[in-house]
Amino acid sequence: MIPALKASTNDSLFVQINSETKTPLAFVGKGKLDPKIDSIMFKAAPGTIYGPYISNGSYSIAKLVNYEVGPDSVSAKHILLNPTMEGGVDKALAKADSIKKVIQSGKKTFADMANMYSTDKGSATKGGDLGTFGRGAMIPAFEEPVFNGKTGDFKIVTTQYGVHLIQIGAQKGSSKVVKVAVVNKPLTASSKTQTAAYSKASAFLASLNNDNFDQQAGKTGLKKGVAENVNALAATLPGLDNARDLVRWAYKADKGSISDQVFTVGDQYVVARLTQIKPKGTLALDVVKKQIEPAVRNHVKAKMLTDKITAALNGSSTIDQVAQKAGSKVTPLQNIVFANPILPGVATEYKLVGTVFGSQPNKLSKPVEGQSGVYVFTVDGFTNPAPLNNAVRQREQIAQAILQRAQNQVFDALKDKANVKDNRAKFL
């Protein structure tokens, strides 16, 4: 593959024929390539081959096709013609050339002609203006002539969208860009490897009884995964895609049961043991202990911090005094918004922000137990929002949001009201 890519005179076609990922070749700036080749390609000479290297589960080879120094961003206008409506590509190209000549003669402006002829109505209403864009914002067939031309140039190009008459506007910045051809092939196991893995899984299954699953897994060096809180309709499990057969087995098995077969899940072979069945309703503490332990620990820590801060508040008249006694520091925060209860650089704190907006300025608060800590604060002041100028529009937006939420939740409400039993898991 490497000699063939090196000798290729049409790298774009080579990628389309040989690569698993058929990405069109385009000039890109520094930092836009795979980190494994980015620095290499920006220092290499055209024709340089790098690889093979492993990236995203594939073997890849890369070839530097070319480099150039060009603008970082450009502005442009275009008129898009549909070849089907014009009687074919040739006639669309001829019409684009005629439109260009009319504009160049000064008889009509670009905006006039865009309004009359462009099928891209979004830009036509703006006189064909596409605004300013950087590399990668447009498809390569459109982008390359725009970035390689000069300000004021007209270009006629054909893309998958039709025939474009383009006028290049301002070009800003200047930096080196490279065009790299990357050919990749996914890493897949051979049939010999698959057979060996299946045989190992089958031997493991044959060695099991009700009590030795963990022991045998450790003895044979197999990886043991745990899937908790598996829903009857689950299609995937942690690390396993398309695991419906395994989930269906679990919902028919008894606690402690070992699967009677080796499940093939993608490129993995799985032997399963059902370790727990959780009944409906309120669960016993021993069942949910592991699940709630982090929250309980945080609650206990919060209680300890609250006691510590309460002691620091005793005799303190300023927040700086509280911070000094508690061994902490004061962090100034500005522009806290009730509708967006996020502390910049900290976390989302609903209870804290709600308490702030119910407080009086220049008064030390009591400790507030939040999601990420325990807080004491003083409010410097409040800024009243701007007057509501368009209450009708606000009401429409709120009503629309409520309507959408109602539509999304109506099925669940009907199901709860009718006491419907969901048996979909038996058929999926």
Side-chain angles (χ1 to χ4, degrees), residues 400-413:
Q400 185 64 30
I402 293 173
L403 178 61
Q404 290 178 351
R405 193 171 72 184
Q407 290 172 342
N408 293 335
Q409 295 177 345
V410 67
F411 178 75
D412 290 335

Side-chain angles (χ1 to χ4, degrees), residues 82-352:
N82 186 333
T84 302
M85 296 170 61
E86 302 298 337
V89 174
D90 290 343
K91 290 186 178 180
L93 289 169
K95 185 171 182 177
D97 188 63
S98 298
I99 293 172
K100 181 186 73 170
K101 290 177 180 177
V102 170
I103 296 170
Q104 289 176 323
S105 70
K107 295 178 180 178
K108 295 284 185 179
T109 66
F110 197 102
D112 293 334
M113 301 302 272
N115 281 319
M116 292 172 62
Y117 296 110
S118 183
T119 59
D120 178 8
K121 298 305 179 184
S123 65
T125 57
K126 304 173 186 176
D129 190 9
L130 296 171
T132 299
F133 49 89
R135 291 185 183 273
M138 303 292 183
I139 57 175
F142 186 98
E143 180 177 288
E144 287 206 14
V146 174
F147 277 84
N148 291 336
K150 297 178 181 178
T151 298
D153 282 355
F154 286 87
K155 301 285 183 179
I156 298 175
V157 300
T158 303
T159 73
Q160 65 202 63
Y161 301 107
V163 173
H164 306 254
L165 170 62
I166 307 168
Q167 184 175 24
I168 303 172
Q171 298 177 320
K172 299 178 181 179
S174 179
S175 60
K176 182 178 180 179
V177 290
V178 297
K179 183 184 289 186
V180 179
V182 177
V183 179
N184 68 340
K185 295 290 183 183
L187 293 170
T188 55
S190 66
S191 58
K192 182 177 180 181
T193 300
Q194 291 174 342
T195 301
Y198 185 83
S199 297
K200 188 174 183 179
S202 298
F204 172 68
L205 176 58
S207 70
L208 296 178
N209 57 46
N210 290 338
D211 302 316
N212 69 345
F213 190 96
D214 291 348
Q215 179 185 353
Q216 288 298 106
K219 183 178 178 181
T220 53
L222 295 173
K223 178 184 177 183
K224 187 183 79 169
V226 178
E228 298 181 344
N229 303 318
V230 178
N231 185 280
L233 291 172
T236 63
L237 297 176
L240 300 173
D241 295 329
N242 194 21
R244 276 301 301 160
D245 288 343
L246 181 53
V247 174
R248 274 195 293 265
W249 166 82
Y251 269 81
K252 295 176 182 179
D254 297 322
K255 181 179 178 180
S257 295
I258 295 170
S259 62
D260 56 358
Q261 68 178 94
V262 176
F263 290 98
T264 301
V265 184
D267 59 355
Q268 301 182 75
Y269 299 108
V270 181
V271 176
R273 179 172 181 262
L274 186 62
T275 58
Q276 191 175 60
I277 299 176
K278 297 179 179 179
K280 291 183 178 180
T282 304
L283 299 176
L285 178 61
D286 62 321
V287 176
V288 298
K289 181 179 178 181
K290 184 178 178 182
Q291 202 172 337
I292 66 173
E293 187 174 359
V296 173
R297 288 182 179 274
N298 283 343
H299 181 70
V300 173
K301 290 179 182 177
K303 178 65 170 62
M304 296 170 61
L305 289 171
T306 299
D307 292 342
K308 182 178 180 180
I309 292 176
T310 300
L313 280 165
N314 188 23
S316 299
S317 58
T318 67
I319 197 167
D320 292 301
Q321 291 174 348
V322 177
Q324 185 177 13
K325 290 181 182 179
S328 185
K329 62 179 181 179
V330 177
T331 302
L333 294 175
Q334 295 180 341
N335 301 323
I336 297 176
V337 180
F338 183 75
N340 186 26
I342 297 175
L343 300 188
V346 183
T348 301
E349 290 288 4
Y350 295 97
K351 186 175 180 180
L352 174 62

